Amino acid sequence: MTARAADRARYDRATAHLDAPLAVVDLEAFDANADDLVRRAGGKPVRVASKSVRCRALLERVLARPGFAGIMSYTLAESLWLARGGFEDVLCAYPSADRAGFAELCADPKLAAAVTVTVDDPAQLRLIEEARGGGRETVRVCAELDTSLRLLGGRVRVGARRSPLHSPGQLAELARAVAGRPGFRLVGVMAYEGHVAGVGDAVAGKPLKSRAVRLMQAAARRELAARRAAAVRAVREAAPHLEFVNGGGTGSVQHTAAEESVTEVAAGSGLFAPRLFDDYTSFRARPAALFAQPVVRRPGVGVVTVLGGGYPASGAPGRDRLPQPYLPEGLRYDPMEGAGEVQTPLLGSAADDLLIGDRVWFRHAKAGELCERFAALHLVEGDRVTGTVPTYRGEGMTFL
């Protein structure tokens, strides 16, 4: 029996008393992945990216482990909810226009002490000031540096379109704007290199593309390390008491942590190890989060149909954004139908061994987006479900 077949047998036994569709987290794999992130961080704390987890119980679990400190959240509403729930260090990593949320933040000492908001434009500071109302609490601010690699005089850009602040001078100018505005305090700098951390460099069957990605990423790391260090030095002239400099992501933890200017790294997807994180040369994580869909039809030889399953991931559309039929091995999508909203045909010889009511186990292409489809995660240890915990959705929270 292969390791994957053994996992399938475990998951089937563990969830035999439950009806599919359902989602599980293998706690042994989750904890092993957490340990690997800490190892790769080389002694620097790992801030957990909540968008890749979206389950408070699992956030609490990983933050209780040595080597992890703080949350990187994705909306202001989520940040306030987490802080109200007892999380004491929440970095909202994306600018917000949530005026009601800012009014609440500015009026509550506990929230203002726990939540840091990200800005990259003085207009965002003005929006916060206008939303403040009667709130007098000081707002903790993190300035974001654009990490994109620019070539040929800026005519070629590699990287996500995030902050408009690309040069150390631009970031320092924003730092001075924060420092000169009453009611705000600059406490951090963030620089997320998604083109390194979130792009696989060993894509199966594409050796030329993989080599090109590795060359690009090596050049990007060198350029960013020097620019990030210069930016942090420039910012410290305006804000000498910075508390943190955040960088990285699951795919670049060890490289980013090696930079002297970086004080912490961020990661989250590496805990669940979704399909898009299979294509890296620098690390191997264990699939920890899966979902099961029940077989409801057998249309013919070599074909089964499962209920639902059309859960594409965000990003540029493509086949790599579809969930992966994972267990049993040997199933694939019908190219004429793909992953369907209410049913999904699957092809392959393995289909002939599946009966009505059996499960097909899938891996989502991305991490936390799985939790937008399920109200609960069943926690598996060995071949038993030892707990069931709500996702954000299960708690009635839909932040995006």
Side-chain angles (χ1 to χ4, degrees):
M1 181 181 291
T2 67
R4 280 173 59 173
D7 283 342
R8 179 194 175 199
R10 283 198 302 116
Y11 299 144
D12 281 348
R13 286 196 301 271
T15 62
H17 62 294
L18 301 170
D19 287 329
L22 59 86
V24 303
V25 171
D26 185 327
L27 289 181
E28 181 181 344
F30 181 89
D31 290 344
N33 291 338
D35 287 342
D36 190 59
L37 287 171
V38 171
R39 177 190 63 80
R40 290 199 288 134
K44 292 186 177 177
V46 179
R47 184 179 290 272
V48 184
S50 63
K51 78 178 183 65
S52 300
V53 179
R54 303 192 201 196
C55 170
R56 285 203 294 178
L58 290 177
L59 290 173
E60 291 169 352
R61 183 184 183 92
V62 73
L63 285 170
R65 302 178 69 85
F68 289 88
I71 289 176
M72 175 179 282
S73 63
Y74 58 98
T75 72
L76 182 59
E78 180 208 14
S79 304
L80 299 177
W81 179 65
L82 291 173
R84 287 194 297 268
F87 293 96
E88 297 179 348
D89 179 6
V90 184
L91 166 62
C92 184
Y94 300 85
S96 177
D98 181 353
R99 291 176 172 82
F102 284 127
E104 183 179 0
L105 177 69
C106 294
D108 189 314
K110 176 184 174 182
L111 297 180
V115 175
T116 302
V117 302
T118 295
V119 301
D120 56 33
D121 190 318
Q124 295 155 353
L125 298 173
R126 292 193 292 273
L127 185 148
I128 296 171
E129 189 61 54
E130 292 165 0
R132 183 183 287 273
R136 297 182 178 276
E137 296 300 320
T138 297
V139 177
R140 294 167 52 85
V141 172
C142 174
E144 182 173 6
L145 176 71
D146 171 51
T147 66
S148 63
L149 176 64
R150 298 185 182 182
L151 305 170
L152 302 178
R155 293 191 294 276
V156 175
R157 174 196 179 103
V158 181
R161 296 183 181 277
R162 291 176 62 108
S163 170
L165 309 176
H166 187 77
S167 71
Q170 290 174 318
L171 197 69
E173 184 177 354
L174 180 68
R176 289 189 291 272
V178 175
R181 185 180 289 263
F184 295 88
R185 184 170 80 253
L186 186 67
V187 298
V189 168
M190 184 180 73
Y192 171 60
E193 55 269 35
H195 50 302
V196 179
V199 178
D201 63 351
V203 183
K206 297 183 178 181
L208 294 179
K209 177 181 178 180
S210 297
R211 177 168 173 75
V213 169
R214 288 194 291 273
L215 290 172
M216 176 275 291
Q217 290 180 340
R221 287 197 301 268
R222 289 192 299 270
E223 185 275 338
L224 179 59
R227 182 160 52 86
R228 178 156 40 200
V232 171
R233 287 194 300 270
V235 167
R236 285 191 184 279
E237 293 181 4
H241 302 298
L242 280 181
E243 297 175 16
F244 65 87
V245 176
N246 179 282
T250 287
S252 68
V253 164
Q254 67 273 31
H255 301 297
T256 306
E259 295 181 30
E260 186 176 351
S261 65
V262 172
T263 67
E264 63 175 37
V265 291
S269 295
L271 296 168
F272 282 177
R275 184 169 73 91
L276 283 176
F277 285 83
D278 287 348
D279 301 331
Y280 287 79
T281 57
S282 60
F283 74 99
R284 285 287 182 270
R286 293 172 54 181
L290 302 96
F291 65 93
Q293 305 296 119
V295 174
V296 292
R297 287 178 171 164
R298 291 173 50 86
V301 176
V303 186
V304 293
T305 300
V306 298
L307 181 70
Y311 308 155
S314 59
R319 293 179 62 186
D320 65 342
R321 301 289 147 167
L322 297 178
Q324 175 192 30
Y326 185 61
L327 302 170
E329 299 178 66
L331 295 173
R332 65 186 186 280
Y333 290 114
D334 181 335
M336 299 299 293
E337 296 195 47
E341 178 187 10
V342 291
Q343 69 164 39
T344 298
L346 297 168
L347 313 180
S349 59
D352 294 329
D353 295 324
L354 292 170
L355 304 176
I356 300 296
D358 286 349
R359 283 96 185 272
V360 175
W361 293 89
F362 293 79
R363 293 171 65 199
H364 205 281
K366 298 184 78 172
E369 293 182 23
L370 164 70
C371 294
E372 298 298 338
R373 299 289 183 168
F374 293 91
L377 299 173
H378 301 287
L379 307 180
V380 173
E381 297 183 73
D383 60 358
R384 295 186 305 121
V385 169
T386 58
T388 298
V389 294
T391 62
Y392 281 9
R393 287 267 175 167
E395 296 198 64
M397 309 309 292
T398 54
F399 296 113
L400 281 177

